Amino acid sequence: MDQLMINWGYVIVLFILGYFTYKRKALDFLGSLFMVIMGIVIIFSAGVNWLLLLILFLIMALIATKYAKKYKDHLGEFEGQRTAKNVISNGIVAFMMAAFGGYYLPFVGGFIGAISTATADTLASEIGVTRTPRLITTFRKVDPGTDGAISLLGTFAGIVGAAIIGVAAYLLGVVSNPWSALIVSVVSGTVGCFMDSFLGATFERWGILTNEHVNLLATIVGAIVGIVLI
């Protein structure tokens, strides 16, 4: 079968996934639309395997969001439906790396670094909120959900999430060397996640940056680390 026809088949599946995320209220309409548009570009530029890494991030994010839902509701920290701002701030850097970098090696590292950061940060936030955290700048105990707060459980969950991205990158053939994939994903994801926490504890708490700005800057840092390491 012609590769172009196969790609259009993937596009149909992508639209189905977009519809599912919208109906399940995981993403709002614009969020689902942006996800589909970015996915289509990635399919025809870098390939479906690159897109599968983004979908893996989405799946882990949705699972982590549902984790301890009742407890998060009680704290007022259950985010629920995510918006286009969330999709863009977490995914635009990886999208740019895939759309314009293709298989050019440094951009592979940037792509994995950005996704690993988004994954690590999301899992660290969604799972770590169930423990009493400490502010990354002072290490004083703070309330769950405080900007810039970190916890051992959240950090561990974030590192595991980043490692899963690395393993998947190797299995999908995005990176040929398993150790390179794992090192790039874990290191860049961890650095990016901590950068997110630091920016949250400082510039976001001071009202200079929004959460979306912090997410975007953190994925940029993760992408840069990935490019350096690859």
Side-chain angles (χ1 to χ4, degrees):
M1 185 181 294
D2 184 76
Q3 185 61 46
L4 182 62
M5 293 298 295
I6 295 175
N7 285 344
W8 279 112
Y10 290 136
V11 170
I12 293 173
V13 173
L14 188 59
F15 270 102
I16 294 173
L17 178 62
Y19 175 77
F20 175 78
T21 56
Y22 172 66
K23 293 298 291 184
R24 295 287 295 180
K25 297 183 178 181
L27 297 172
D28 65 7
F29 177 76
L30 282 179
S32 298
L33 180 62
F34 272 105
M35 181 193 73
V36 171
I37 292 173
M38 289 193 296
I40 291 174
V41 174
I42 291 174
I43 288 174
F44 287 99
S45 58
V48 69
N49 286 357
W50 288 51
L51 176 62
L52 289 176
L53 283 179
L54 275 173
I55 293 176
L56 177 59
F57 155 64
L58 176 63
I59 292 172
M60 287 194 286
L62 295 179
I63 293 173
T65 299
K66 298 296 183 181
Y67 173 77
K69 178 180 179 295
K70 291 184 178 180
Y71 180 71
K72 292 176 187 175
D73 268 332
H74 176 70
L75 293 176
E77 293 296 331
F78 180 68
E79 188 165 354
Q81 190 178 58
R82 298 176 186 272
T83 67
K85 289 182 179 180
N86 297 122
V87 174
I88 293 172
S89 63
N90 282 292
I92 192 64
V93 176
F95 165 73
M96 296 290 285
M97 292 289 156
F100 300 105
Y103 283 92
Y104 185 53
L105 193 57
F107 286 94
V108 175
F111 179 74
I112 294 173
I115 296 179
S116 297
T117 295
T119 302
D121 176 54
T122 301
L123 267 60
S125 299
E126 294 291 348
I127 295 176
V129 75
T130 60
R131 297 291 186 271
T132 300
R134 295 177 182 272
L135 197 64
I136 192 172
T137 51
T138 64
F139 290 101
R140 293 180 179 177
K141 289 184 178 181
V142 291
D143 294 330
T146 300
D147 295 330
I150 59 173
S151 68
L152 286 176
L153 176 63
T155 301
F156 176 75
I159 292 174
V160 170
I164 291 174
I165 293 296
V167 172
Y170 168 69
L171 294 177
L172 291 169
V174 177
V175 179
S176 59
N177 187 298
W179 293 113
S180 293
L182 192 60
I183 291 171
V184 169
S185 63
V186 171
V187 175
S188 60
T190 302
V191 172
C193 184
F194 280 131
M195 177 57 68
D196 185 283
S197 297
F198 175 77
L199 293 173
T202 53
F203 294 101
E204 187 176 356
R205 285 172 62 87
W206 298 337
I208 298 174
L209 298 176
T210 67
N211 182 62
E212 287 75 24
H213 294 147
V214 168
N215 289 339
L216 176 61
L217 290 172
T219 55
I220 290 174
V221 170
I224 292 173
V225 174
I227 288 173
V228 170
L229 291 176
I230 198 68

